[in-house]
Amino acid sequence: MKFKLLLLSILISMPIFAQDYILDSITPKYGHLINFKANTFQYASESPYFKKLFSDFDSIYAGKKKKLHVFHIGGSHIQADIYSNKIRTYLQNMNEVSLGQRGFVFPFHLAHTNNPTNYRIEADNDQWQGYRCSVRKDSVAWGLAGVSTAFRGTVDQIYVKANYKNYTKKPYTFNTLRVFYNTWMEDYDLTIADATLIKSDTTNYDGMYTEFRLNKTVDSVALNLKIKDPNCVSPEFLLMGMEFMNDDPGIEYTSIGVNGASYAWYERAAYFEKQLQLYKPDMFIISIGTNDAYMPKADFKAEEFRAYYENFIQMIQRANPQCAILLTVPNDDYYKKSYANPNTAVQQRIIIELTKKYRMAVWDLYSVMGGLGSSNDWYNAKLMPRDRIHFTQLGYSIKADLFLKAMVDAWAESTGKDKTLLLNHFKHLNE
């Protein structure tokens, strides 16, 4: 699906909303579109993994210094990082100890596709070529990001900014920078432009990254990339991502998304699991599925989708057997703008069955929206564009607030907190 231009038009044409809680104010106008009763983390109360997760959230909420890592994976909804960034901001603005490191990001601008607005990584774009695992003709090495960008020139400088249009009360900072790339090729020298910042640099060939430890905390840095031998035949520096790291406790929220991605496409990322093993996620939100079902009803293979989904759950559990995994049912959509896609209802059944099997939790966005055909109602209300697959900026903001409310309700039930008081805490974070 060619969503790139559409998504860019959404981002350009819509105003940037602050990270305020808007669910209360929009309910009189849009509340009839939302099935509030379905807006829950189903089965979370029966999951030992979510009981532990909410206990950890509660510790941070109480002001205790603790590290907690959330991963959120999906397709174009997550690459844009609109609603996922709003969730990130809620969690990281919770109190003085909740802002963790920014963590893993990808320089989408250098791959010539839409970049989240909350960080910037810039260079001479004309010298870089992007490759996505979701593009059939592309064939390079992919890791955790599912997208890579290649430099084959002589020299360039990469400007890295951990903050851009983000809404965290404090800026992101880092004293360690990891650069993920094809370490099996040594065609280029990669250095920090300001040599006085360097405390040490080490290359991890198995993890496929070079780690620069700095002697002070910064929020931006410049990197020099230079070919070692100008006579080298077919040189290549394949950038797979970066990671902004520091020693602070708090919540880290990593979003991984590629336009058009599905389980089959992510399976092409040969180094995905190897790089995931570098972490131990406490919560993993799975929002893959829209592209898996974007096809005529006769072409959708339900059991193949189930197998892909189950294999992905098992991969996450290999990284951390105690990880709380939130399965999410994709939103209702229209196939080629022509008719409501019936395959999502089949996905819903499979995802709920897997939720029960693995004793996890599920957020059923399909039901929250109103089920089959509801995306047309959301489109008529200007909460989705004409494709009736993505959301407008306001639609994504509503989606984030629905997610927050469902999470807070489950959190309150698990820990015995007053859910109204807990939600009010998040509602008034920006006042």
Side-chain angles (χ1 to χ4, degrees), residues 150 245 300 327 388:
M245 305 169 67
F300 180 59
L327 288 62
R388 283 159 286 187

Side-chain angles (χ1 to χ4, degrees), residues 416-427:
K417 280 207 161 28
D418 183 316
K419 65 180 181 181
T420 301
L421 292 177
L422 185 57
L423 183 60
N424 279 338
H425 173 79
F426 288 96
K427 286 182 182 180

Side-chain angles (χ1 to χ4, degrees), residues 257-393:
V258 184
N259 292 346
S262 65
Y263 284 109
W265 291 127
Y266 269 120
E267 282 219 333
R268 300 177 73 201
Y271 301 114
F272 187 99
E273 182 170 4
K274 180 182 281 287
Q275 291 184 347
L276 180 61
Q277 289 288 338
L278 297 171
Y279 310 96
K280 190 178 179 182
D282 299 285
M283 180 183 189
F284 206 115
I285 306 166
I286 303 176
S287 294
I288 309 172
T290 297
N291 298 297
D292 297 80
Y294 193 78
M295 61 189 68
K297 183 177 181 180
D299 295 339
F300 180 59
K301 298 179 175 60
E303 291 311 306
E304 182 178 278
F305 174 75
R306 182 197 299 272
Y308 275 131
Y309 211 124
E310 193 158 11
N311 287 340
F312 201 84
I313 291 172
Q314 292 170 356
M315 180 181 65
I316 297 167
Q317 290 183 320
R318 287 194 292 272
N320 179 14
Q322 301 305 312
C323 182
I325 305 173
L326 179 69
L327 288 62
T328 67
V329 180
N331 56 269
D332 179 68
D333 64 69
Y334 263 54
Y335 181 65
K336 293 187 176 180
K337 306 176 188 176
S338 300
Y339 58 86
N341 189 346
N343 298 328
T344 311
V346 181
Q347 290 180 307
Q348 177 193 45
R349 173 178 56 80
I350 292 170
I351 291 170
I352 290 174
E353 288 172 358
L354 291 174
T355 301
K356 294 176 180 178
K357 178 176 179 178
Y358 287 90
R359 301 181 71 192
M360 296 300 175
V362 60
W363 185 50
D364 187 357
L365 180 60
Y366 181 67
S367 292
V368 172
M369 285 183 65
L372 185 67
S374 58
S375 56
N376 195 51
D377 297 328
W378 283 57
Y379 162 65
N380 289 329
K382 296 183 170 53
L383 299 178
M384 299 183 88
R386 284 188 62 210
D387 71 353
R388 283 159 286 187
I389 298 170
H390 298 93
F391 295 81
T392 61
Q393 188 86 29

Side-chain angles (χ1 to χ4, degrees), residues 197-254:
L197 286 175
I198 299 297
K199 185 177 181 180
S200 67
D201 63 274
T202 308
T203 299
N204 184 316
Y205 290 93
D206 189 54
M208 291 166 284
Y209 64 84
T210 289
E211 180 175 288
F212 298 98
R213 291 185 176 271
L214 311 181
N215 52 36
K216 67 176 183 178
T217 299
V218 299
D219 63 3
S220 61
V221 75
L223 296 164
N224 288 332
L225 184 61
K226 185 177 181 180
I227 197 167
K228 292 180 179 179
D229 180 3
N231 298 314
C232 178
V233 178
S234 301
E236 181 180 77
F237 182 85
L238 192 65
L239 183 56
M240 299 181 188
M242 295 187 183
E243 186 174 7
F244 305 135
M245 305 169 67
N246 59 38
D247 305 314
D248 296 341
I251 298 170
E252 178 182 355
Y253 194 115
T254 300

Side-chain angles (χ1 to χ4, degrees), residues 102-290:
R102 181 59 179 86
F104 184 89
V105 298
F106 184 82
F108 290 100
H109 281 313
L110 299 188
H112 303 278
T113 183
N114 57 297
N115 199 91
T117 60
N118 50 78
Y119 65 89
R120 299 285 284 186
I121 299 173
E122 300 171 325
D124 182 355
N125 282 29
D126 291 340
Q127 297 197 73
W128 294 81
Q129 183 173 356
Y131 301 88
R132 284 182 285 145
C133 66
S134 56
V135 177
R136 190 179 302 277
K137 66 180 179 61
D138 288 354
S139 181
V140 297
W142 292 290
L144 193 61
V147 54
S148 297
T149 184
F151 177 81
R152 301 183 178 99
T154 302
V155 63
D156 200 6
Q157 191 163 63
I158 307 169
Y159 299 93
V160 178
K161 302 174 184 178
N163 302 279
Y164 190 54
K165 294 179 181 179
N166 51 314
Y167 298 94
T168 49
K169 291 181 179 179
K170 296 183 291 184
Y172 294 112
T173 60
F174 58 93
N175 57 19
T176 299
L177 174 67
R178 283 183 179 176
V179 181
F180 292 85
Y181 64 99
N182 54 336
T183 53
W184 57 89
M185 293 183 70
E186 299 183 338
D187 301 332
Y188 291 88
D189 282 322
L190 179 68
T191 58
I192 299 289
D194 183 356
T196 64
L197 286 175
I198 299 297
K199 185 177 181 180
S200 67
D201 63 274
T202 308
T203 299
N204 184 316
Y205 290 93
D206 189 54
M208 291 166 284
Y209 64 84
T210 289
E211 180 175 288
F212 298 98
R213 291 185 176 271
L214 311 181
N215 52 36
K216 67 176 183 178
T217 299
V218 299
D219 63 3
S220 61
V221 75
L223 296 164
N224 288 332
L225 184 61
K226 185 177 181 180
I227 197 167
K228 292 180 179 179
D229 180 3
N231 298 314
C232 178
V233 178
S234 301
E236 181 180 77
F237 182 85
L238 192 65
L239 183 56
M240 299 181 188
M242 295 187 183
E243 186 174 7
F244 305 135
M245 305 169 67
N246 59 38
D247 305 314
D248 296 341
I251 298 170
E252 178 182 355
Y253 194 115
T254 300
S255 56
I256 308 165
V258 184
N259 292 346
S262 65
Y263 284 109
W265 291 127
Y266 269 120
E267 282 219 333
R268 300 177 73 201
Y271 301 114
F272 187 99
E273 182 170 4
K274 180 182 281 287
Q275 291 184 347
L276 180 61
Q277 289 288 338
L278 297 171
Y279 310 96
K280 190 178 179 182
D282 299 285
M283 180 183 189
F284 206 115
I285 306 166
I286 303 176
S287 294
I288 309 172
T290 297

